Amino acid sequence: MATVNEGVEAAEPEEEKDNVQTGSLVSQSLPHEYQEDALEFSVESFHLDGGPLGDRGDLDEDDQFLSLVDEADWKTLELEGTVTVDQDIVEDVFPFDEWEETPGRLALVKENPLAINRDRQILADSPFDGGTYEFTLCINRDDHRGQVKIKPFLTRTKKGGSGGSKHASKVGARVADGLSWVIRLDEREDGGSLLMPIIEDFSDYDSFPDENHIHHLSLEAPRNPQLYLNREHPQVVEVLNNTGSTGGPPRLRDVLYDYIEHSVWTQLLIQTAHDTSPDTGEPEYGWQEDVLDIFLDDLYPNLGDDEAAIQLAEDVRSHADLPDLVQRIERAVHQQYNIPSDTTNLIEEAIQSDD
């Protein structure tokens, strides 16, 4: 799940750890019973590339924080652990007549704002019972930047009764959460700012598109592309800031980010093609190596990496081959997203809300 920061300056690591650990996703008083930090979230083991963590990294189990900033040349981090939900918590956040067959879902939500990466793992579905649930979660180094936050949530899966009840009634409503685990992978200057959105008033900048645009990818400094969101659309920004995992606003957020990311990756891929040498296949900037890693196999499935990079650089410079390249780029970027599914989920959510 992606989030949006209004500031441009990165917080110091210790300051940011404290903010993430103590910050609440319940940004306002909810109109229903909500148990904050009530789910016991334990990570029992870490493995780097299949081996025990050992003395690698900076692990603080009390604050649920792991820094791998100083660790290089690793590809996967695997976490194993449990999330425990006391039955008392279930009975606090669901009404009495739902205790036997509780319409609840327990999910582990993973957020990586710098890479606009969001994902969830369903640990238990309806009918939900309190208890301890095991999980295994894998973080691929190439797909993430900055820091990854992992947090458990308990949500509703079925519309409930109204009539003045203190309990949540909407499908997808969050009713409980647990403290986050935070995994820091690198500092923001280490390629992390590539897709970190900055919120600005577009009308304040002559070089930005007009106020009708929601986002703008600035390539004025190709070494460090920067994504901007238009503050002049406050409702859109508010939706993109939503940190929930289910329900109407998160569904809409996912569709909006699909739209934004599709446009951004298309521009970044074309810029990368332009900056890649047709002689050596080497891109000009470090972040462009990541872009090539993501898309070359889809663009040129029958070529090796070096040959594919050279072909990409040649195609973008050829007037005859450019139209076909643009179509292939469109297809390759589209395959990275599940836009039909996200849109269908949003439509279904809207239909349910009208019932």
Side-chain angles (χ1 to χ4, degrees), residues 171-173 239 242 246-254 345-346 349-350 353:
V171 175
V239 169
N242 186 283
T246 57
R251 302 286 194 206
L252 179 56
R253 176 204 60 208
D254 289 347
N345 289 336
L346 177 62
E349 186 70 36
S353 297

Side-chain angles (χ1 to χ4, degrees), residues 21 37-46 59-66 78-86 106-108 121 123 131-137 150-153 177-183:
Q21 184 63 39
D37 301 338
L39 311 183
E40 184 181 337
F41 177 27
S42 300
V43 177
E44 298 167 358
S45 69
F46 297 90
L59 178 63
D60 187 336
E61 294 187 279
D62 291 335
D63 283 337
Q64 300 190 175
F65 180 82
L66 170 64
E78 186 176 87
L79 295 74
E80 293 183 345
T82 60
V83 177
T84 299
V85 185
D86 290 339
L106 180 63
L108 203 55
Q121 180 179 339
L123 305 187
T132 297
Y133 297 88
E134 297 180 349
F135 70 85
T136 299
L137 186 147
I150 308 164
K151 190 178 183 79
F153 288 95
D177 65 30
L179 291 174
S180 304
W181 261 94
V182 174
I183 316 296

Side-chain angles (χ1 to χ4, degrees), residues 10 17-18 32 53 57 71 99 138 142 150 159 182 197 207 210 212 242 289 311 341 351:
K17 180 177 80 170
D18 289 342
H32 59 256
L53 185 64
E71 297 298 325
W99 289 358
C138 188
D142 290 343
I150 308 164
K159 186 175 181 180
V182 174
S207 60
D210 62 34
N212 290 324
N242 186 283
E289 296 177 3
Q311 190 63 55
S341 176
I351 292 173

Side-chain angles (χ1 to χ4, degrees), residues 137-169:
L137 186 147
C138 188
I139 296 175
N140 293 313
R141 182 64 185 89
D142 290 343
D143 297 334
H144 298 82
R145 292 291 181 270
Q147 72 175 22
V148 176
K149 182 170 69 173
I150 308 164
K151 190 178 183 79
F153 288 95
L154 182 62
T155 63
R156 281 195 66 91
T157 59
K158 185 175 71 174
K159 186 175 181 180
S162 53
S165 171
K166 67 175 183 178
H167 298 101
S169 59

Side-chain angles (χ1 to χ4, degrees), residues 252-267:
L252 179 56
R253 176 204 60 208
D254 289 347
V255 172
L256 286 175
Y257 264 112
D258 284 345
Y259 156 70
I260 291 173
E261 292 175 39
H262 189 282
S263 169
V264 167
W265 281 116
T266 299
Q267 294 178 71

